[in-house]
Amino acid sequence: MTYITKPRLHHPSLEANKVGYTRRDYEGKISTLCAGCGHDSISAAIIQACWELDIEPHRVAKLSGIGCSSKTPDYFLGASHGFNTVHGRMPSVLTGANLANRDLLYLGVSGDGDSASIGLGQFAHAMRRGVNMVYIVENNGVYGLTKGQFSATADRGSKSKKGVLNSDSAIDLIGMALQLGATYVGRGFSGDKAQLVPLIKGAIRHGGAAFIDVISPCVAFNNHAGSTKSYDYVREHNEAVSRIDFISSRDELTTTYAPGEVVEVEQHDGMVLRLRKLHEGYDPTHRVAAMNFVQERQAQGEVVTGLLYVEPDATDLHAALNTSARPLNALGQEALCPGVAALDRLNASLR
Amino acid sequence: MKQIEAINDFVIKFANVNGSGSASANELFAKAILRMGVPVSPRNIFPSNIQGLPTWYEVRVSEQGWLGRRGGIDMMVAMNPQTWDADVAEIEPGGYLFYDSTRALPPSKFRDDIHVIGMPLTEICNAVYTDPRQRQLFKNIVYVGALSVLLEIEPAVIEKLFGEQYKGKEKLLASNVQALHLGRDFASEHLKAPLGIRVRRADRVGDSIFVDGNSAAALGCVYGGATVAAWYPITPSSSVAEAFQKYCGKYRVDPATGQNHYAIVQAEDEIASIGMVVGAGWNGARAFTATSGPGVSLMTEFIGLAYFAEIPVTIINVQRGGPSTGMPTRTQQADLLACAYASHGDTKHVLLFPEDPTECFEHAAAALDLADRLQTPVFVMTDLDIGMNQRLCAPFAWDEARELDRGKVMTAQELEAGRDFGRYKDVDGDGIPWRTLPGTHPTKGSYFTRGTTRNAYAQYSERGPDYIYNVERLLRKFATAATLVPQPVLRAASCKTRLGVIYFGSTSPAMHEALEVLTGQGIHLDALRLRAFPFPASVRDFLDAHDEVFVVEQNRDAQMHSLLVNELEVDPARLVRVLHFDGTPITARFIAGAITQQVHAEVVKPRSRKSREKVA
Ligand SMILES: Cc1ncc(C[n+]2csc(CCOP(=O)(O)OP(=O)(O)O)c2C)c(N)n1
Ligand code: SF4
């Protein structure tokens, strides 16, 4: 057996959040990933974000594809339903699940192999449909689970552990998400939790398709010199455009930053994202500017992180389809079946 | 010269050019006969193209109510010069050829043994209309007018149909009536009427409805409570989703809020469409997709996931000619094995076989119930012949007391009360486990769904006994399915016989007619119409009760035959294949001919019981 259930021993003094849960309530099974794998840090950030946002764990549906990254939903939010679907196709399953019950929070976890190779199409279409979810790609530039082949996000010219040179150019999922119409786009680094947690929190509160690309080094196959997805490379080339503070509307809005450097973005549900701009003139609500900025810096070998784009009043697929506020899976016979009289009228019209 | 004489019993075929606007005129023709109380059965025969190429519409008129294709053409309305030779050749001796005689044709273009009726359609239309599109469109109505004289179809009936079609559009109504009479006037003055074949008012339609199978299946999805539909366009299934959209717009908009009680997504491909259905099914909504062969091929990985993870999924497969792109606008029943065993590893799926639009409606609704009850993929196996042709069939019926069967979904109250929850545990002995929906309870009932193996409590496990428990339970569930699916329908012969015939789906109307023809020839067969896979116990009983059973199907490889042999371990020598697979709907002539030939061959060389036993 390759899972270990965590003992549920609660220390009485563990701090509980507003809905009465401790951090431990947001944990899952013990990870079976390699020690030091970036994916585990991302799981920890998800746990932290959900706890801090007072989300009831069972109100989250966590879905993934196949890969080391896609295994992680088993390692957080043990009290929520999870679905490990098929390779690359998490977005469609999540879309269907979301259509069935709009009241849950949808968390899609995927890998760069899962989303940028076999699943590129589904990734693209989930973004353009505006499915209300948090879509996290744990990006390590390799296929971890199948032991070290290049994924489509590996840079041209980068070297695999076996010394093979990658001759294909890389797919940048951030650039794609921006271009495809995602309404919340950010990039994080598994080694920078201070940045990652607010990024995830902002995504959770966002009312549309939120995409976060998290550079997540694979210690087994892609953490060596020559890889641009290694810990060292990212630490040296990380270029943060912003620091976000996630402030709930219940909190007092006090400005701690110097005016001019701070942008406050109110979300659809009244929550506020407070962004401290690290780059002069960077506008996180300007899609085209964000695309240009990311591309320019990328060309310099820099890994731009932070919240890159947000559309504050974003809507989602349900709005586009004008679906009922009551979840479709909760509608009863009376709402669904037109009944015998309607059928008789229809029969009459077919004679 | 011989002349075919038949009242209310003939086949007329229209050969047209695709895009010339003939479709609605031809349908008008068929409907007018129907309104005179005479059953008709039309079939669109169209190649895979959009415009300019040939298209045919064949109408069987049968007071006796035979709705299958008969074979042979009594009258050809030849409007397409491109297919002229083949069209003329198809006419039965003594039959009729109606054509546009505006341009003279050499005598070699006709046949001596048929009656030729020429009418200068183009000339008439050019004289009356100046607009080229009008000239083209009204030509079709003009020939319907002429045919109404030749075949004695009541003009008032056609005018009434126009009235219904162009309600509120008085100008269109008037111009169509004018075109109709243009044709009628010419025919009355210049043509010898009526012909030997004609229509006479009867009272044989009753309360039957005239509808296509795809619309009916879509309506079944509405009544069956489907709320999520995800699809990708493919002939001949697209109109299922389109009709679902139309019916939902009519029946499923909340009058209080104006919000939709449904969600329809045209996905980026079939993989995504089945993925969405899997996600919606997992999350407790009734969901379906509609597709055809190539779509099923793409969906198979997900179908395997749904089977193993036990998620309700409904797939309406409107079969067409395969393999590969095959004959996309022709009909076959050739996806049986691909669907019955779709995906890798050991999989088996539930298939339903509707015989006509009424059953498309019933089976679509039943499939949604079965998928929830069994927590598994269920296929509704229709085909182009039922799906895209209007059929005369029994009116849709619904029991007001019927409740949607949501299957074994454990509620928060039940969990709270301390009911043991093992997602993959067979608590009731029927192989069907209980499930919970995401979000049900804060601390109880959550589990992880995956395509990998696990134990009864949904925990990942590669232990042999856990795996075997699970896959054997799935077999038990499949056995349960055999008791829940629509049961086969038996038509016993009027006398005791050792011969049986098995058929299913769109073969039905042709089969019923063939059985009568065969009886007339002294060949008596008990007939069993299969309505589902897995096969209920009565299928084995039927096979056991007959020495020889013909299996009639519309594919090359005798796929139903294989399923019977494989699943029931019946001696293949006792099953005789009757196969039709040229892409056209099977005919009564073909079935009766094939069975007669076989029976006669056996009279010459009887197969002894002994030799058969040796094989067994
Ligand atoms: C259809 C299909 N093809 C191939 C595989 C094998 N496979 C499993 S995981 C994987 C790659 C995973 O890479 P990535 O998504 O980057 O995740 P990582 O393991 O690196 O976190 C592949 C190719 C599969 N499971 N299904
Ligand atoms: S192989 Fe790489 S991606 Fe997979 S668990 Fe190990 S470190 Fe993580």
Side-chain angles (χ1 to χ4, degrees), chain A residues 32-34 36-39 68-69 140 142 144-145 217-221:
Chain A
T32 60
L33 304 183
C34 308
C37 173
H39 300 350
C68 297
S69 34
N140 55 17
V142 285
L145 198 65
C218 168
V219 289
F221 301 107

Side-chain angles (χ1 to χ4, degrees), chain B residues 72-240:
Chain B
I73 302 300
D74 300 317
M75 181 176 199
M76 180 68 72
V77 178
M79 301 298 293
N80 187 353
Q82 236 190 318
T83 56
W84 176 273
D85 291 341
D87 293 336
V88 171
E90 236 187 307
I91 304 168
E92 303 271 288
Y96 307 87
L97 168 72
F98 179 93
Y99 79 110
D100 181 356
S101 60
T102 303
R103 278 210 285 151
L105 287 168
S108 62
K109 286 285 176 195
F110 301 99
R111 269 169 51 189
D112 293 339
D113 60 343
I114 57 172
H115 303 271
V116 178
I117 307 148
M119 177 165 166
L121 291 166
T122 307
E123 192 184 306
I124 294 170
C125 289
N126 286 358
V128 180
Y129 305 103
T130 46
D131 176 60
R133 187 66 188 152
Q134 277 195 342
R135 283 177 169 173
Q136 175 57 54
L137 283 177
F138 284 123
K139 202 194 286 181
N140 304 312
I141 302 297
V142 171
Y143 74 62
V144 170
L147 290 174
S148 71
V149 172
L150 295 170
L151 303 174
E152 297 197 316
I153 299 170
E154 296 167 16
V157 170
I158 305 179
E159 285 178 26
K160 186 152 183 284
L161 282 166
F162 278 143
E164 290 168 20
Q165 192 179 349
Y166 301 113
K167 213 161 134 191
K169 299 173 192 156
E170 302 310 325
K171 247 175 102 179
L172 275 172
L173 172 63
S175 51
N176 274 281
V177 172
Q178 184 204 4
L180 177 78
H181 285 282
L182 214 55
R184 283 191 64 83
D185 294 348
F186 183 94
S188 309
E189 278 171 43
H190 301 97
L191 305 178
K192 196 172 146 272
L195 304 180
I197 53 170
R198 67 198 94 127
V199 185
R200 186 177 299 155
R201 195 167 260 286
D203 186 15
R204 298 301 302 270
V205 171
D207 68 347
S208 296
I209 56 170
F210 192 56
V211 68
D212 64 280
N214 283 357
S215 302
L219 191 69
C221 290
V222 173
Y223 274 75
T227 49
V228 176
W231 66 294
Y232 188 74
I234 183 169
T235 305
S237 76
S238 299
S239 55
V240 174

Side-chain angles (χ1 to χ4, degrees), chain A residues 33 37 39 65-72 85-89 110-118 137-153 216 218 221, chain B residues 301 344:
Chain A
L33 304 183
C37 173
H39 300 350
I66 301 284
C68 297
S69 34
S70 289
K71 286 170 82 156
T72 61
T85 64
V86 294
H87 195 23
R89 325 291 185 185
S110 180
D112 46 304
D114 205 55
S115 279
S117 296
I118 191 168
V137 165
E138 308 191 343
N139 188 351
N140 55 17
V142 285
Y143 287 174
L145 198 65
T146 53
K147 300 187 186 247
Q149 301 83 1
F150 283 122
S151 85
T153 64
S216 175
C218 168
F221 301 107
Chain B
E301 188 189 20
H344 50 280

Side-chain angles (χ1 to χ4, degrees), chain B residues 551-603:
Chain B
V551 182
V552 182
E553 47 187 317
Q554 302 185 53
N555 59 65
R556 182 195 71 180
D557 289 347
Q559 298 191 23
M560 183 59 85
H561 179 280
S562 298
L563 270 185
L564 289 163
V565 169
N566 197 38
E567 296 290 325
L568 301 180
E569 293 178 7
V570 53
D571 170 11
R574 283 172 52 206
L575 302 180
V576 183
R577 302 153 191 237
V578 177
L579 307 173
H580 185 276
F581 48 89
D582 68 1
T584 61
I586 196 166
T587 63
R589 267 187 202 180
F590 174 85
I591 300 171
I595 292 179
T596 310
Q597 210 179 8
Q598 176 71 25
V599 171
H600 288 169
E602 277 180 38
V603 171

Side-chain angles (χ1 to χ4, degrees), chain A residues 1-3 5 21 29 56-64 70-71 73-74 78-87 89-102 104 106 118 121-123 125-126 128-129 317-318 321-326 328-333 335-351, chain B residues 31 35 164 206-211 219 222-223 225-228 247 250-252 258-269 271-273 275-280 282-285 301-302 305 309 311 361 395-404 406 436-443 445-452 455 459-463:
Chain A
M1 281 209 260
T2 60
Y3 78 90
T5 312
Y21 292 94
K29 304 229 165 69
E56 293 176 285
H58 74 291
R59 303 304 295 169
V60 178
K62 42 183 191 176
L63 294 98
S64 62
S70 289
K71 286 170 82 156
D74 217 6
S80 51
H81 275 63
F83 195 167
N84 207 182
T85 64
V86 294
H87 195 23
R89 325 291 185 185
M90 170 276 287
S92 63
V93 180
L94 190 149
T95 302
N98 183 306
L99 290 175
N101 183 0
R102 61 190 299 171
L104 302 182
Y106 292 89
I118 191 168
Q122 294 221 334
F123 161 76
H125 289 277
R128 68 179 263 269
R129 284 195 186 102
L317 181 60
H318 280 287
L321 296 177
N322 187 31
T323 1
S324 74
R326 199 159 151 226
L328 292 177
N329 74 349
L331 295 173
Q333 179 125 346
L336 302 180
C337 184
V340 171
L343 201 57
D344 289 344
R345 279 194 298 278
L346 193 81
N347 278 328
S349 75
L350 295 171
R351 290 193 176 112
Chain B
K31 270 196 147 166
R35 288 283 178 93
E164 290 168 20
D207 68 347
S208 296
I209 56 170
F210 192 56
V211 68
L219 191 69
V222 173
Y223 274 75
T227 49
V228 176
Y247 289 130
K250 191 167 169 187
Y251 297 124
R252 284 279 194 78
Q259 290 172 338
N260 298 332
H261 285 159
Y262 63 92
I264 302 170
V265 179
Q266 184 186 318
E268 59 270 31
D269 54 36
I271 303 176
S273 49
M276 289 177 201
V277 171
V278 165
W282 174 72
N283 215 358
E301 188 189 20
F302 259 132
L305 173 72
I311 294 165
F361 170 77
F396 300 132
W398 191 260
D399 179 358
E400 202 78 84
R402 176 170 167 172
E403 299 221 358
L404 306 179
R406 299 272 177 163
T436 55
L437 301 182
T440 300
H441 192 280
T443 54
S446 73
Y447 67 95
F448 207 84
T449 306
R450 42 161 72 86
T452 34
N455 64 17
Q459 288 159 328
Y460 183 86
S461 164
E462 290 175 23
R463 285 181 62 237

